[in-house]
Amino acid sequence: MSNSGKKERIHFGTLEKEAVAHAKRKREEEEEHDAMSTTVVDNLLDISEGAVSARPGAHIDLDQIDEVMGDDEELMLTDDALATRRRAMAEFDRKRIARTIAIPTNDAHVKDALRQNEQPICLFGEDAGDRRDRLRYILSKIAIERRDAGSEQQEIEDEDMKSDDEDEVQEVFYTEGSEALLQARQNIAKQSLARAEQRIERQREDCKVDLASVRRLRQNLVAQLTNYTIVGSQVGDDRPLSRIAFAPNSRQVLAGSWSGAIKLWDIPGCKMAQLFRGHTDRVGGLSFNPRAGQSKGCVDFASGASDNEIFLWSLEKDTPVGNLKGHQSRVVHVDHHPSGDYLGSASYDGSWRLWDIATEQELLLQEGHSREVFALRFQCDGSLVATAGLDGIGRIWDLRSGRSIAELEGHAKEIFGLDWSPNGYQLATGSADNTVRIFDLRKIASVQQIPAHKSMVTDVRFFHYDSTQSIEPRISEDMDTSGDGNEDMSVHKRLCDGQYMATASNDGLINVWTAGDWKLQKSLAGHVGKVLSVDISRDGSYIASTGFDKTFKLWAADEI
């Protein structure tokens, strides 16, 4: 029998053929799967290179995604998934349109726009910011409906409405000023140039002091600050005390209450000298005129309160001698211009205003913050003013031109206090995010963030030495001021100016910080509950504070 006719030998117990066939089928399936995966990856790469960026965090064009997913893919989706996708795309489209709509910042204009669109002007629990967001949402929905309708007339009306909104914003921020405002700007420019020249000259003289003397003065100042303790406490009213301010002579202090009462106290005895009545609601702002007490019958201080009123006062009368009307909501802060001729005020109506004290005339109504304005301070030269509020943004305005020259960004929450350093270019802000930030105007940036307190910071105050008053900053007797002509005693006094600041907080503490290194030198504990305001006397002898416990307290070094 030939070999071809032989039967193939079978070995019982082996599955060699079946195993080979199975392995071949598995290999073919894997190759087919790899080919499909390669096709999918290539498609994704094409999308990332052409239509959509596949990099993490990159911008995605939703219109291109819509093109990539065609009708075949949509048919593969379930009805619910397809409806969800279409709703998401419609919402993205609405938000894109909403970002292009100009919304007025004036709350009254927002209410008028809501009324024109037959919407309620106010909802329960809604503030001015929420109202603006609701108006933006409504206008974006109207814009989509008009676009989908395809009516040319509606498109024209939409453009007109957008143009009107833009014109309205321009009108709010760039209005034609009065002749009185022009004259005030010219006076401020002339006076601020003279003050800036004097400040720079003083700084040049201070630079001539040798480093050893500066170091000794710094050590003396730190020793004095770390030795601060409570030296006086007085119940000021039957309601919490909201604001405190030292008189320019550093021998008296004003305290304002939630009851609307304002009281003048002699220090350090803490005896009440006079009661001023006029406000009917909580006092928010107190400011002494730099020329207070220099002549009879002049306006010595000003106050603002939640009754929307700003009163001008003389120390010789217990009733107001003037009234500045204009704010539509709570007045939370007032501050005198260094010249003493003008007054600035910040209010919950979203604006700050500049007033002529002599004529009691409103010179400027300035908007720019998206929420309530809470703090306002003039720079020592008088050319600039800083404002901040519940939008968490600070702004610096040039009074000579009326322009907003800088935005102070960085805080995560509302700003409740701010103050200029006497050096003229640094500004401290205190916020509800428990921090204090130091901004440098030369860099228009935050140069230091201080984790100041365990709760919101309610007030910030630098030490301001006033050389025009018959007072002297306290310098230790063992301070060596002898030497050559560069070590003049007056220079040593000025070197204390702006070298420390005090911050108040709802954690019940007043913290004292040295400038430059921004180190905490002393925490003053004594109030029961929130501390609402703090101030430093012009001679550097005292720190005063008011709190929710209805008291004001005096703090000083032990040797006083």
Side-chain angles (χ1 to χ4, degrees), residues 54-317:
R55 297 188 304 273
H59 178 69
I60 298 177
D61 192 336
L62 299 176
D63 295 332
Q64 294 178 357
I65 290 180
D66 196 32
E67 294 176 0
V68 171
M69 181 174 284
D71 296 336
D72 295 338
E73 287 83 352
E74 287 191 357
L75 292 175
M76 298 173 62
L77 297 174
T78 63
D79 292 340
D80 292 341
L82 185 58
T84 301
R85 175 178 172 273
R86 288 176 176 171
R87 284 195 300 269
M89 295 297 294
E91 180 63 16
F92 279 127
D93 191 27
R94 186 198 64 77
K95 290 182 178 180
R96 178 179 59 81
I97 294 176
R99 287 193 295 268
T100 64
I101 299 177
I103 302 298
T105 57
N106 190 311
D107 192 44
H109 296 168
V110 172
K111 291 180 178 179
D112 290 340
L114 289 170
R115 188 180 292 108
Q116 292 174 4
N117 288 279
E118 300 180 353
Q119 297 291 330
I121 63 172
C122 186
L123 299 179
F124 179 77
E126 184 180 58
D127 59 14
D130 297 333
R131 213 162 10 253
R132 293 180 71 249
D133 294 339
R134 181 160 63 90
L135 176 60
R136 188 184 299 277
Y137 176 81
I138 292 170
L139 294 181
S140 64
K141 296 289 287 185
I142 294 175
I144 291 177
E145 292 174 358
R146 291 180 177 177
R147 184 197 62 183
D148 294 343
S151 172
E152 294 183 359
Q153 182 62 31
Q154 289 178 339
E155 290 179 359
I156 294 175
E157 292 177 359
D158 187 29
E159 291 297 327
D160 291 341
M161 181 177 63
K162 181 178 178 181
S163 177
D164 291 342
D165 287 340
E166 292 177 353
D167 293 342
E168 186 175 7
V169 172
Q170 292 288 336
E171 184 181 356
V172 170
F173 288 99
Y174 299 97
T175 56
E176 183 178 356
S178 62
E179 186 65 28
L181 177 59
L182 176 61
Q183 185 64 39
R185 293 197 192 282
Q186 293 174 348
N187 293 338
I188 289 172
K190 293 176 182 178
Q191 297 169 0
S192 64
L193 287 174
R195 291 192 196 89
E197 184 178 2
Q198 295 173 3
R199 173 176 56 83
I200 294 173
E201 183 62 29
R202 288 196 303 268
Q203 292 173 347
R204 287 173 179 169
E205 293 179 6
D206 295 345
C207 291
K208 297 177 183 178
V209 181
D210 64 276
L211 186 59
S213 297
V214 174
R215 184 180 295 111
R216 289 196 299 270
L217 178 63
R218 182 78 169 192
Q219 292 172 351
N220 180 77
L221 177 63
V222 170
Q224 176 181 332
L225 296 178
T226 55
N227 204 27
Y228 262 56
T229 186
I230 187 168
V231 296
S233 180
Q234 181 64 268
V235 176
D237 199 68
D238 55 0
R239 296 204 66 193
L241 302 182
S242 53
R243 189 68 63 178
I244 196 163
F246 274 102
N249 62 9
S250 298
R251 297 297 174 259
Q252 291 179 314
V253 67
L254 275 175
S257 167
W258 280 15
S259 67
I262 301 172
K263 297 179 182 180
L264 182 67
W265 301 84
D266 293 326
I267 57 173
C270 297
K271 294 181 179 180
M272 190 178 74
Q274 195 165 353
L275 171 64
F276 303 92
R277 290 194 177 276
H279 290 293
T280 59
D281 204 345
R282 63 183 65 181
V283 176
L286 286 174
S287 175
F288 266 103
N289 192 317
R291 300 196 297 259
Q294 296 182 8
S295 61
K296 292 185 177 181
C298 72
V299 175
D300 293 314
F301 71 94
S303 63
S306 295
D307 54 11
N308 308 351
E309 301 284 356
I310 300 174
F311 287 145
L312 305 178
W313 306 83
S314 171
L315 294 176
E316 300 173 354
K317 298 182 63 176

Side-chain angles (χ1 to χ4, degrees), residues 513-560:
W513 313 79
T514 47
D517 55 6
W518 309 112
K519 290 184 178 180
L520 176 64
Q521 300 299 337
K522 186 72 172 182
S523 287
L524 306 175
H527 283 283
V528 179
K530 306 173 183 177
V531 182
L532 303 179
S533 178
V534 68
D535 197 14
I536 304 175
S537 63
R538 295 299 183 93
D539 62 355
S541 297
Y542 299 101
I543 294 176
S545 59
T546 60
F548 206 76
D549 56 4
K550 308 173 186 176
T551 68
F552 76 90
K553 301 184 185 297
L554 289 178
W555 314 82
D558 272 341
E559 60 266 22
I560 292 184

Side-chain angles (χ1 to χ4, degrees), residues 314-330:
S314 171
L315 294 176
E316 300 173 354
K317 298 182 63 176
D318 59 358
T319 55
V321 297
N323 187 4
L324 307 180
K325 291 183 175 291
H327 281 295
Q328 303 300 313
S329 187
R330 171 186 175 190

